[in-house]
Amino acid sequence: MSDKKFVTDSGIEIKEVYTGQHASELPGEFPYTRGVQKDMYRGKLWTMRQYAGFSTAEESNKRYKYLLANGTMGLSVAFDLPTQIGYDSDHAMSEGEVGKVGVAIDSLKDIEVLFDGIELEKITSSMTINATASTLLAFYIALAKKQGADIKKISGTIQNDILKEYAARGTYIYPPKPSMRIITDIFEYCSKEVPKWNTISISGYHIREAGSTAVQEIAFTLSNAKAYLKAALDKGLDINVFGQRLSFFFNAHNNFFEEIAKFRAARRMWAQMAKEMGATHPKALMLRFHTQTGGATLQAQQPENNIMRVTLQALAAVMGGTQSLHTNGFDEALSLPTEAAARTALRTQQIIAHESGVIDTVDPMGGSFFVEELTNQIEALAWEYIKKIDAMGGAVSAIEQGYMQNEIADAAYKYQIDIEKGEKVIVGVNKYALASETMPPLFKVDDSIRAAQMEKLKQLRSERNAEEVSRNLMALDEAAKNDINLMPHIITAVESYVTLGEIADTFRNVFGEHRA
């Protein structure tokens, strides 16, 4: 607790929290509508993350060191599509995609290079990875051990949220049931061996990117969360242990007050939902979340306008009580962000934190007639969706029936029609457009990197112990066929330089592949 006195530029003292007519609800207390910490950003700023990863591990490592030197507090790793869907860079399905939307990771060798010169015990890392999350976490744990770190002290997050992949994003591999089994294996393993690791980041971000409304974003995310809770409870795990390591990932869109109300409603709903499912520990009842500004809101026309969009979205996330934040580069509708755009995005967060004054009191929007009513209305509409999904048999069943997908598609269609009719104004696109524009310098990924990755794989396979690799893959196959926790076997395999694709293929052979 800081004794620092907070004042405005005119010398007016600012209280830690203002209650007005809402004295019954305080920050840091159930149901956490007003925030999960009593003093929020007075005590500690949110973690300023910048999502980055492209090309090779060597190139991404340079960007990470650049971001850390510019004040980033935690790394957030983007992986290319082959890594996300379990193909090595030399697989035929990887052609044209290696290193394009994230960094290419084929083996522990790549992770060693990715984090070269970065001590894993001293930073937090967030990895946006789902179908292959168990393997990427195994790579990270194996590297931490090689660095001499105590794996009980390493902290970070894997997204590991496969249900939203079926509903909105599409980077799944296996059918839902074996995918849920892998996720609960991770819960179980980490609760004992890597207790500070957030084992899932239940994601509304991609649901919103696919075109959902704010209400659908939190309703579908919390329905998915309920399914993960149930799966873990069915496995015999303690909700008060694994529940503390669940985190969430939300989008911040343009409608400033609706976004703030959305975050407040989500916290209150989760506290109630977790309590109803048996949670009693405060940390298992707290909805802690990372926010990323809305990628789908970025426009290719007049891209500098995106700086203002990102600023408003970031401000809504902070005023809504986020624990961690990534701000998009203004050029991301056109390419991966340049270093200059990434720096401007990070500076946006730093200016909000250090110059705006919005962090000086907790939940500054609390007590606003508008925001309180909007919070209540969003919550009521979201519960209606959750009740419908429960009646279908839960999130997995609703996804299998195509319910979430259809609701998202309908919302996306309506939004686009409103833009095309001019009923929703997008500045620089359907109003205030320019006759001609000059594009900013863009970041390009060289197509030659696939050849470099293929050469690395060829060398790796010639140098590693083939007998040990074969033995470890057989053990992994056996564990997958039986009800044996997969994580220790995956870690052993990656330590012998088994590749990501070889692990994914082992599981494909046992579990099959999901077809939409």
Side-chain angles (χ1 to χ4, degrees), residues 41-195:
Y41 308 131
R42 278 186 169 219
K44 182 186 177 186
L45 288 175
W46 64 91
T47 301
M48 297 181 192
R49 296 190 182 280
Q50 284 305 110
Y51 188 46
F54 55 87
S55 184
T56 60
E58 290 88 348
E59 289 302 310
S60 292
N61 176 261
K62 288 177 192 172
R63 177 65 65 91
Y64 294 158
K65 286 175 176 172
Y66 171 83
L67 290 169
L68 288 167
N70 275 278
T72 288
M73 302 169 181
L75 299 176
S76 197
V77 186
F79 299 97
D80 71 358
L81 281 173
T83 304
Q84 292 181 49
I85 53 177
Y87 293 117
D88 289 332
S89 296
D90 57 359
H91 193 284
M93 289 289 285
S94 300
E95 188 171 355
E97 293 295 343
V98 176
K100 289 293 174 70
V101 298
V103 62
I105 299 294
D106 293 316
S107 75
L108 178 56
K109 287 269 189 207
D110 288 324
I111 289 287
E112 289 167 1
V113 173
L114 187 69
F115 292 103
D116 180 54
I118 299 168
E119 292 182 56
L120 301 190
E121 215 178 282
K122 292 184 178 177
I123 60 154
T124 64
S125 298
S126 174
M127 296 190 279
T128 304
I129 196 74
N130 297 282
T132 55
S134 56
T135 304
L136 269 299
L137 177 58
F139 286 149
Y140 198 88
I141 290 168
L143 176 59
K145 286 162 73 176
K146 284 191 81 170
Q147 287 186 354
D150 178 354
I151 66 165
K152 285 190 162 44
K153 291 181 181 175
I154 63 169
S155 62
T157 305
I158 41 171
Q159 193 163 98
N160 198 28
D161 173 10
I162 204 66
L163 291 179
K164 66 94 177 46
E165 296 296 328
Y166 302 118
R169 190 163 173 264
T171 64
Y172 46 72
I173 304 174
Y174 323 112
K177 284 180 182 170
S179 293
M180 293 292 277
R181 178 258 176 110
I182 295 170
I183 286 167
T184 54
D185 279 359
I186 294 169
F187 288 173
E188 183 179 49
Y189 174 82
C190 288
S191 66
K192 296 169 187 169
E193 303 298 333
V194 199

Side-chain angles (χ1 to χ4, degrees), residues 304-361:
E304 65 277 5
N305 293 347
N306 293 326
I307 297 172
M308 280 68 83
R309 293 184 179 104
V310 169
T311 301
L312 282 168
Q313 293 163 10
L315 189 59
V318 170
M319 296 185 90
T322 194
Q323 277 61 66
S324 168
L325 179 60
H326 163 85
T327 31
N328 291 327
F330 72 88
D331 54 359
E332 287 189 62
L334 298 160
S335 70
L336 290 167
T338 59
E339 280 195 356
R343 184 177 63 244
T344 298
L346 178 58
R347 293 288 182 259
T348 302
Q349 295 196 50
Q350 291 164 339
I351 289 167
I352 290 171
H354 300 293
E355 298 186 30
S356 72
V358 299
I359 70 161
D360 292 349
T361 189

Side-chain angles (χ1 to χ4, degrees), residues 151-440:
I151 66 165
K152 285 190 162 44
K153 291 181 181 175
I154 63 169
S155 62
T157 305
I158 41 171
Q159 193 163 98
N160 198 28
D161 173 10
I162 204 66
L163 291 179
K164 66 94 177 46
E165 296 296 328
Y166 302 118
R169 190 163 173 264
T171 64
Y172 46 72
I173 304 174
Y174 323 112
K177 284 180 182 170
S179 293
M180 293 292 277
R181 178 258 176 110
I182 295 170
I183 286 167
T184 54
D185 279 359
I186 294 169
F187 288 173
E188 183 179 49
Y189 174 82
C190 288
S191 66
K192 296 169 187 169
E193 303 298 333
V194 199
K196 291 190 173 182
W197 196 267
N198 296 317
T199 48
I200 192 167
S201 176
I202 306 159
S203 176
Y205 183 83
H206 304 96
I207 291 169
R208 194 65 177 281
E209 289 292 285
S212 82
T213 64
V215 169
Q216 290 169 341
E217 180 186 354
I218 62 167
F220 297 163
T221 303
L222 292 175
S223 283
N224 289 346
K226 195 172 188 179
Y228 293 125
L229 281 182
K230 189 174 183 307
L233 289 168
D234 289 347
K235 198 177 176 78
L237 301 183
D238 183 348
I239 192 170
N240 286 311
V241 176
F242 77 82
Q244 295 185 50
R245 303 322 307 173
L246 304 181
S247 65
F248 290 78
F249 175 25
F250 290 120
N251 206 311
H253 252 241
N254 285 334
N255 194 310
F256 186 70
F257 292 106
E258 184 176 52
E259 293 303 292
I260 294 169
K262 176 189 78 178
F263 298 131
R264 299 172 89 251
R267 268 195 299 272
R268 188 157 73 205
M269 292 174 73
W270 173 248
Q272 184 178 326
M273 185 182 282
K275 187 178 182 181
E276 285 172 359
M277 295 187 76
T280 55
H281 195 290
K283 285 191 175 175
L285 296 166
M286 292 176 185
L287 184 145
R288 297 168 301 114
F289 66 98
H290 170 70
T291 309
Q292 181 172 340
T293 56
T297 70
L298 301 177
Q299 304 302 325
Q301 298 93 328
Q302 300 176 37
E304 65 277 5
N305 293 347
N306 293 326
I307 297 172
M308 280 68 83
R309 293 184 179 104
V310 169
T311 301
L312 282 168
Q313 293 163 10
L315 189 59
V318 170
M319 296 185 90
T322 194
Q323 277 61 66
S324 168
L325 179 60
H326 163 85
T327 31
N328 291 327
F330 72 88
D331 54 359
E332 287 189 62
L334 298 160
S335 70
L336 290 167
T338 59
E339 280 195 356
R343 184 177 63 244
T344 298
L346 178 58
R347 293 288 182 259
T348 302
Q349 295 196 50
Q350 291 164 339
I351 289 167
I352 290 171
H354 300 293
E355 298 186 30
S356 72
V358 299
I359 70 161
D360 292 349
T361 189
V362 181
D363 188 28
M365 287 293 183
S368 155
F369 295 129
F370 178 41
V371 171
E372 294 293 353
E373 179 61 19
L374 199 52
T375 302
N376 293 340
Q377 289 181 335
I378 287 172
E379 179 183 8
L381 291 168
W383 279 126
E384 283 181 24
Y385 267 118
I386 290 169
K387 283 171 188 168
K388 281 184 194 172
I389 291 165
D390 285 346
M392 292 178 188
V396 176
S397 179
I399 288 165
E400 287 173 344
Q401 292 174 50
Y403 174 70
M404 289 189 198
Q405 297 93 310
N406 289 336
E407 289 293 307
I408 294 166
D410 287 348
Y413 178 75
K414 182 183 181 303
Y415 188 84
Q416 188 59 35
I417 290 295
D418 287 347
I419 292 171
E420 290 180 15
K421 286 181 177 176
E423 290 174 10
K424 179 168 281 296
V425 172
I426 308 294
V427 173
V429 178
N430 64 357
K431 200 166 186 179
Y432 313 115
L434 297 175
S436 63
E437 296 188 44
T438 303
M439 287 295 104

